[in-house]
Amino acid sequence: MSTLLVLGALALVARTGCTDNGLNPSGVSDLDYTDVELGLTPRGPRFDVAHSKNVTALVGKTAQLNCRVHDLGNRTVSWIRHRDIHLLTSGRMTYTSDQRFISVHNPHTEDWILKIRFPQRRDSGVYECQVGTTPPIGHRMYLSVVEPVTTILGGPELFINTGSTINLTCVVQHSPEPPPAIRWTHKEEEINYDSPRGGVSVITEKGETTTSHLLVQKARMADSGRYTCAPANANPISVQVHVLSGEHPAAMQHGGQLRIQYPISAAMLSIIVTLMGCYYKQDIRNIL
């Protein structure tokens, strides 16, 4: 009877592949699936840093810091400003008297957005998106609020000889992205590059520093007036152009463009040179 029980037990082992040495019938060790993650994502909230990046914004134009949190569950997302360790928002509630700060969340997404209306340069700094776990976890981002600077080289006044080429160079710096368009105007009217006058063109080079060149060939008196460079994402800047019919006695010429430089100092220098010449002549006479 005992022999039959042993044979039955061995048969059961053979059918189930269970052996006391941890090997299956083929001789390969069985896996303990309770210790294998099988590609499952980790449990608990985690930040998607690829969609939670630093932001550069323009002064006065709404800035948005995005925080994407996977597997948030029923936990709360808060925004904290590191400059003064101030709780700005928690969930969709705002906890600051500065009403420029707003928490935005669409229930169908994993994005929690801190929106800052009318940002100023003082708003630049570190902001933390924090999840209310135990202990809390957070992801920090840097907001840089910049104010683009627009300049026209050689301004605010330019003096041009008749028949020369007017070359106005507008430079846009400190812009988070190149301006999508730069508008040039003359006497408050947008310049038409296809006008019957002809000889008017613009060349724009975009990059970290964007440069736009307005070229007006064979300048004439009618080309005098106020020219304005107006980038789409920066403040406009103007220059007054004077087209001269003849030589300007107190001007310096640079490639057809004339600029008055320190007229009072030049006059004083002329007087001093004249007086020195007079004294020099008097000294010569005394010697003779």
Side-chain angles (χ1 to χ4, degrees):
M1 186 66 177
S2 60
T3 302
L4 293 175
L5 289 174
V6 171
L7 291 175
L10 290 174
L12 179 61
V13 168
R15 287 197 305 270
T16 61
C18 296
T19 59
D20 57 1
N21 62 359
L23 300 178
N24 60 26
S26 62
V28 179
S29 176
D30 283 327
L31 294 176
D32 184 2
Y33 288 102
T34 59
D35 296 330
V36 179
E37 294 182 358
L38 296 177
L40 297 177
T41 57
R43 294 181 179 180
R46 66 191 187 283
F47 298 102
D48 188 338
V49 296
H51 294 87
S52 310
K53 298 182 178 180
N54 298 336
V55 171
T56 301
L58 291 174
V59 169
K61 295 192 176 182
T62 301
Q64 293 190 162
L65 290 169
N66 185 71
C67 181
R68 182 170 293 183
V69 186
H70 298 308
D71 299 327
L72 179 62
N74 60 354
R75 298 170 180 86
T76 303
V77 175
S78 303
W79 282 97
I80 297 172
R81 182 172 57 201
H82 268 238
R83 183 183 69 202
D84 48 7
I85 316 299
H86 186 48
L87 175 65
L88 299 173
T89 66
S90 181
R92 296 185 182 181
M93 300 295 294
T94 301
Y95 287 88
T96 174
S97 58
D98 191 341
Q99 296 302 313
R100 297 179 305 132
F101 293 89
I102 303 172
S103 176
V104 179
H105 173 65
N106 186 332
H108 301 292
T109 70
E110 296 177 308
D111 294 330
W112 291 82
I113 299 171
L114 177 66
K115 183 179 290 187
I116 308 172
R117 298 180 297 181
F118 310 109
Q120 302 300 314
R121 297 187 66 176
R122 67 176 183 273
D123 293 316
S124 297
V126 176
Y127 292 79
E128 182 173 332
C129 172
Q130 192 175 96
V131 176
T133 55
T134 304
I137 59 173
H139 176 65
R140 300 178 182 181
M141 287 162 267
Y142 191 86
L143 171 65
S144 178
V145 182
V146 298
E147 187 170 11
V149 177
T150 309
T151 56
I152 293 181
L153 302 184
E157 287 190 287
L158 290 173
F159 295 83
I160 313 295
N161 281 328
T162 301
S164 300
T165 297
I166 301 174
N167 182 356
L168 302 182
T169 302
C170 179
V171 180
V172 183
Q173 297 174 298
H174 310 309
S175 177
E177 59 184 13
I182 294 181
R183 179 171 170 261
W184 282 94
T185 63
H186 177 221
K187 298 179 180 178
E188 309 301 329
E189 294 185 3
E190 187 165 0
I191 295 176
N192 181 7
Y193 306 108
D194 298 324
S195 67
R197 183 213 184 282
V200 181
S201 59
V202 65
I203 302 173
T204 300
E205 302 171 357
K206 296 184 178 182
E208 291 185 4
T209 297
T210 296
T211 305
S212 181
H213 303 274
L214 175 66
L215 303 174
V216 182
Q217 299 177 6
K218 298 181 180 179
R220 58 189 72 168
M221 298 294 292
D223 296 324
S224 297
R226 187 180 185 85
Y227 287 81
T228 300
C229 170
N233 62 350
N235 293 330
I237 189 72
S238 299
V239 63
Q240 190 72 26
V241 174
H242 305 273
V243 179
L244 307 177
S245 58
E247 291 295 330
H248 198 288
M252 297 180 63
Q253 182 173 355
H254 297 283
Q257 298 195 10
L258 304 177
R259 292 183 57 192
I260 294 179
Q261 294 187 344
Y262 314 112
I264 296 179
S265 299
M268 291 297 295
L269 180 61
S270 177
I271 294 172
I272 292 172
V273 170
T274 302
L275 292 175
M276 290 180 64
C278 293
Y279 283 118
Y280 179 76
K281 290 180 180 179
Q282 187 65 37
D283 290 340
I284 293 296
R285 291 174 183 173
N286 294 335
I287 293 174
L288 296 176

